[in-house]
Amino acid sequence: MNIKRAKQEIKDTVSAYLLKDAWGAYEIPSIRQRPLLLLGAPGIGKTQIMEQIARECGIALVSYTITHHTRQSAIGLPFIVEKDFGGEKKAVTEYTMSEIVASVYEKMEKTGLKEGILFIDEINCVSETLAPAMLQFLQCKTFGSHKVPEGWIIAAAGNPPEYNKSVREFDVVTMDRVRKIEVEPDFQVWKEYAVSAGIHAAILSYLNVRPAHFYQMENTVDGRQFVTPRGWEDLSRMLEVCRRIGKTADREVIAQYLQHGRIAGDFANYLELYYRYQKDYGIEEILKGTIKEAMLKKLAHASFDERLSVVSLLLSGCKTGFYEGQRQKRFVELLFGKMKEARKLLTAGEKKGPASWEVLEQLRRENESFRKSQKEAELLTREREQELLRLCAVLDAYGLELKKASPATGEEALDLLRELFAGERAAYEEGKLKNASYLENAFDFMELAFGDSQETAIFVTELNSDPAAVAFLEDYPCERYDRYNQRLLFEQGDREILGEIDELLK
């Protein structure tokens, strides 16, 4: 199955395993909660989905790569204790708590979360001395003599033998006690994630043209050459950072992420052209409404790859605005919630007149405390944490404005807060109008350059696949988008009907 389906399977399993009856006992007893075993090629996102699932389900996550452990750290160190057997003292060997089990208890103490996922990566690559402990772990949920706490779901991941020489096969007895999930790389599924994760537009554009380069694993005379989804995502972040510091990622840098000579070279050439097209065609000017006849003539004689790159650049410009708009919308809603709390406190008369700024300070402290607790529990995405940090900064700024104005009454303080909040709201509305203008200008260019063509269909299809674009278009009706999209749906329906007729006639 693909990684999206695997993620949903695991989330459903978490819901099932953590379901309790009326007396607080788990509906599926811990001993019957089969560990999840994900098997798939390296770099396709097995570890990443475990982090996403823990955040989305609001539970803790303890993650270990088992190849970094010795038998002693996994099952504990031996020590001698005296025990009384039938009146006689006997020396008995016991073991300290497993480092891995201890980490689960530490996570529970640290975060206050009593349920979670214990994730063991590369489980089928353990050393010969540790292999029996891993089999015991999967079968009995124990490391040595120490049991994994109730409420903790065991998940493990490994690579098939063709990707790792250290892989050892589990016996039938062990496999009959786990839920095996085999995961395959799938570009279309990864693309859904990549769009929402803000993967660099050049990468998405390139892989749309060459989807076979999304994942490669080849044995050559020079050794194994490969490209993985992890490599593309890490390269995307580097490309974005390079842009911010005014640098260009050249072929050598790209080859450090795409460890396949031919694909790395091909993408390096494409990236160079992609940046050149951005400058040559004046994408920013097009989005602002300036369309030059010379550019239209040049594009009329361009190759399909070049035309597709221009479409991708236009989409990237629009999507950047859409995502900024969605971030601003979420922040305005978050800030509005805090303004409602401030109004409640101020109208209750707790902080009158000049002391009204203390209300904002109180809300800022509460927000910062919430951010820290959520970060400690590893339940925050990078974007969510940035929102909370920004909220702290704005509440701090509002408090300083109140302190400076020193309003005589709570109502005067509220008037000032309304004025300050109106500025944030106005920025959101201004951004929405700008995004609407960019989209209309992009459609102007698409119609002049391509007309009702394959490129226009691709432009509309990519808008449909982008969550931020879809959210924007729900708020802002765009006649041309609706028209082209309707036509696209009719054509798709016609193709499906014709396909069904062909099947019947066979």
Side-chain angles (χ1 to χ4, degrees), residues 218-225:
E218 295 179 11
N219 288 317
T220 69
V221 292
D222 297 321
R224 179 163 285 181
Q225 297 196 50

Side-chain angles (χ1 to χ4, degrees), residues 151-213:
W152 280 74
I153 296 163
I154 293 173
N159 301 321
E162 60 265 30
Y163 299 110
N164 196 321
K165 295 178 182 178
S166 303
V167 165
R168 60 178 63 250
E169 291 188 17
F170 292 141
D171 56 32
V172 174
V173 175
T174 301
M175 294 304 295
D176 194 34
R177 286 171 167 80
V178 302
R179 293 178 57 179
K180 185 175 76 168
I181 300 175
E182 294 187 88
V183 189
E184 298 287 340
D186 185 319
F187 171 61
Q188 291 305 321
V189 167
W190 182 81
K191 183 180 172 183
E192 290 180 31
Y193 159 77
V195 168
S196 61
I199 296 299
H200 198 282
I203 290 176
L204 289 175
S205 177
Y206 174 80
L207 292 176
N208 277 331
V209 179
R210 297 173 179 80
H213 291 178

Side-chain angles (χ1 to χ4, degrees), residues 281 292-302:
Y281 284 98
K292 297 178 180 178
E293 187 66 30
M295 294 299 99
L296 295 174
K297 289 180 179 178
K298 180 180 179 182
L299 200 56
H301 298 92

Side-chain angles (χ1 to χ4, degrees), residues 30 71-79 81 83 93-105 118 133-134 136-150 152 154:
S30 180
R71 183 174 183 276
Q72 288 75 20
S73 64
I75 68 172
L77 294 169
F79 65 95
V81 296
K83 290 191 175 181
T93 301
E94 289 196 359
Y95 286 84
T96 58
M97 181 174 282
S98 158
E99 180 183 320
I100 296 172
V101 175
S103 294
V104 172
Y105 283 104
L118 173 56
M134 287 300 99
Q136 180 195 29
F137 167 64
L138 291 174
Q139 292 177 15
C140 308
K141 297 189 175 180
T142 60
F143 275 113
S145 57
H146 299 100
K147 191 174 179 62
V148 175
E150 194 175 33
W152 280 74
I154 293 173

Side-chain angles (χ1 to χ4, degrees), residues 30-170:
S30 180
I31 194 65
R32 296 298 176 197
Q33 294 180 4
R34 288 192 173 202
L36 295 154
L37 177 60
L38 277 73
L39 292 176
I44 61 175
K46 299 188 294 294
T47 303
Q48 192 174 55
I49 64 166
M50 301 310 301
E51 296 169 354
Q52 295 171 10
I53 290 165
R55 281 197 301 266
E56 292 168 17
C57 294
I59 58 177
L61 174 69
V62 171
S63 181
Y64 270 93
T65 300
I66 200 63
T67 49
H68 298 165
H69 282 268
T70 63
R71 183 174 183 276
Q72 288 75 20
S73 64
I75 68 172
L77 294 169
F79 65 95
I80 306 299
V81 296
E82 274 197 352
K83 290 191 175 181
D84 192 308
F85 295 111
E88 293 186 21
K89 299 287 186 181
K90 301 289 185 181
V92 179
T93 301
E94 289 196 359
Y95 286 84
T96 58
M97 181 174 282
S98 158
E99 180 183 320
I100 296 172
V101 175
S103 294
V104 172
Y105 283 104
E106 286 172 0
K107 178 69 74 170
M108 292 164 68
E109 288 290 323
K110 189 177 180 181
T111 65
L113 299 172
K114 302 303 180 186
E115 296 175 327
I117 298 171
L118 173 56
F119 178 62
I120 307 295
D121 200 7
E122 297 184 12
I123 195 166
N124 56 352
C125 295
V126 295
S127 64
E128 187 174 344
T129 57
L130 193 52
M134 287 300 99
L135 298 182
Q136 180 195 29
F137 167 64
L138 291 174
Q139 292 177 15
C140 308
K141 297 189 175 180
T142 60
F143 275 113
S145 57
H146 299 100
K147 191 174 179 62
V148 175
E150 194 175 33
W152 280 74
I153 296 163
I154 293 173
N159 301 321
E162 60 265 30
Y163 299 110
N164 196 321
K165 295 178 182 178
S166 303
V167 165
R168 60 178 63 250
E169 291 188 17
F170 292 141

Side-chain angles (χ1 to χ4, degrees), residues 370-426:
F370 173 75
R371 183 192 70 81
K372 286 181 176 179
S373 66
Q374 291 287 289
K375 186 172 184 178
E376 194 78 13
E378 297 178 355
L379 296 176
L380 284 183
T381 62
R382 183 167 175 263
E383 188 173 330
R384 176 63 173 166
E385 184 178 14
Q386 288 174 347
E387 284 180 0
L388 294 174
L389 287 168
R390 182 183 172 191
L391 182 60
C392 277
V394 170
L395 290 174
D396 201 24
Y398 284 11
L400 287 173
E401 289 296 325
L402 283 176
K403 197 171 185 179
K404 189 191 303 181
S406 189
T409 65
E411 191 57 43
E412 286 185 19
L414 279 174
D415 287 340
L416 179 54
L417 288 179
R418 290 188 190 101
E419 184 182 336
L420 292 168
F421 177 74
E424 287 289 346
R425 177 76 189 182

